[in-house]
Amino acid sequence: MNTKKEIREYIWNYLEENKLGRFPFPLKNRIPNFKGAEKAAAFIFKMPEYKEAKVIKVNPDSPQLPIRTQILKDGKTLLVPTPRLKAGFIMVKPEWVPAGEERKAASLKHIRSYGKEVPLTELPRIDLFFAGSVGLHRDGRRVGKGEGYADREYAIIRELGNPEIPVIGTVNSVQVTEADIPRDPYDLTVDWIATEKELIRTNTPYSKPGGIQWDLVTEEQMEEMPVLREIWEITKERQPGN
């Protein structure tokens, strides 16, 4: 396996063949909902980094639903990116959610009924960042579903002035790969991996994005993701002389 595509295809196939996935199907071309997601999440809730965090960004995929739910139960603020980042992020504050409705509020189907889209200029400081993953290496390297959204989300919050923060991935233990995952400078790495069996500290030697690499952003991407143009305008206004 020499490419990210080969690695993710292998993992998707392995999960399917060994019946380690759950609804929604097919597992391919998405962050797979894996068996053991609740056990993996339970490791997270004991971490000091989680306990101390007030605002947490979590990807909207099914295997991270237990995490999004618990965040609201624990009185923390949840941030979830909108599909394809078209409208930035949705924020859900715990006081907006009636007791007992946290799971519903954390679901992609109902989250807009409880939360609201937040302008980038009003994003609170984020303390912890969850990235959906297809495969993870113990040294922190990551394979997503191939569209680069987690990388860009992290780059966006850094571009807007958020300090570097811990990144966590939760996967089934079979998604922890020994394959030599290729890495680009803009790729996001994880600091912690939680599986149904253990919590792994990666001690990753790889740096995370410090912002958006504007030289790699095309006009087409600006059109597909208006949030990028908005950030470009915001950061341009902050430059000396403007």
Side-chain angles (χ1 to χ4, degrees):
M1 295 186 290
N2 297 316
T3 67
K4 290 179 183 177
K5 184 176 187 294
E6 290 171 339
I7 294 167
R8 67 173 65 95
E9 290 286 346
Y10 174 85
I11 292 172
W12 280 328
N13 288 332
Y14 190 96
L15 288 169
E16 286 185 351
E17 290 166 7
N18 291 275
K19 296 183 169 36
L20 292 171
R22 303 188 299 195
F23 178 85
F25 295 102
L27 301 180
K28 291 185 176 182
N29 299 317
R30 70 172 82 239
I31 300 300
N33 192 9
F34 61 92
K35 289 183 178 178
E38 291 78 12
K39 289 182 179 178
F43 283 110
I44 302 295
F45 307 139
K46 298 174 184 176
M47 295 174 60
E49 290 86 348
Y50 173 81
K51 291 179 180 179
E52 294 166 10
K54 293 180 174 63
V55 180
I56 305 177
K57 177 266 159 188
V58 188
N59 53 299
D61 305 284
S62 297
Q64 282 72 44
L65 176 59
I67 296 167
R68 298 194 299 274
T69 302
Q70 192 63 41
I71 286 169
L72 296 173
K73 286 183 177 179
D74 288 338
K76 302 175 187 294
T77 296
L78 173 66
L79 277 176
V80 177
T82 58
R84 304 186 74 81
L85 280 176
K86 288 278 188 183
F89 296 83
I90 298 172
M91 179 170 69
V92 186
K93 290 195 171 186
E95 59 266 29
W96 299 345
V97 182
E101 295 183 27
E102 292 88 358
R103 184 178 174 87
K104 184 178 179 183
S107 70
L108 198 55
K109 184 177 180 181
H110 298 286
I111 191 169
R112 287 181 183 274
S113 300
Y114 295 85
K116 66 176 184 180
E117 292 176 5
V118 188
L120 294 176
T121 52
E122 296 176 21
L123 267 184
R125 171 183 159 147
I126 299 169
D127 304 307
L128 199 57
F129 187 106
F130 284 83
S133 304
V134 176
L136 292 169
H137 193 285
R138 283 177 177 265
D139 68 5
R141 283 178 291 169
R142 171 184 167 274
V143 177
K145 63 184 177 183
E147 296 182 346
Y149 285 107
D151 308 318
R152 190 149 279 170
E153 288 159 17
Y154 190 88
I156 283 171
I157 67 169
R158 295 285 282 125
E159 187 78 22
L160 292 171
N162 209 91
E164 186 169 328
I165 52 174
V167 177
I168 303 175
T170 64
V171 292
N172 187 280
S173 52
V174 303
Q175 294 171 257
V176 179
T177 179
E178 294 182 4
D180 186 18
I181 300 174
R183 186 179 171 277
D184 292 305
Y186 50 79
D187 284 342
L188 183 63
T189 51
V190 301
D191 301 290
W192 297 89
I193 302 169
T195 76
E196 79 288 3
K197 294 180 179 179
E198 62 181 329
L199 181 65
I200 303 164
R201 185 169 193 159
T202 67
N203 294 308
T204 184
Y206 303 107
S207 59
K208 295 179 177 61
I212 297 169
Q213 291 188 252
W214 291 109
D215 56 322
L216 300 178
V217 177
T218 64
E219 187 63 31
E220 184 181 5
Q221 288 172 326
M222 287 271 206
E223 294 298 326
E224 289 176 357
M225 204 180 292
V227 69
L228 286 175
R229 192 177 300 282
E230 186 180 348
I231 293 165
W232 172 257
E233 295 296 334
I234 291 169
T235 54
K236 193 168 66 171
E237 286 173 9
R238 290 178 180 171
Q239 290 171 6
N242 289 328

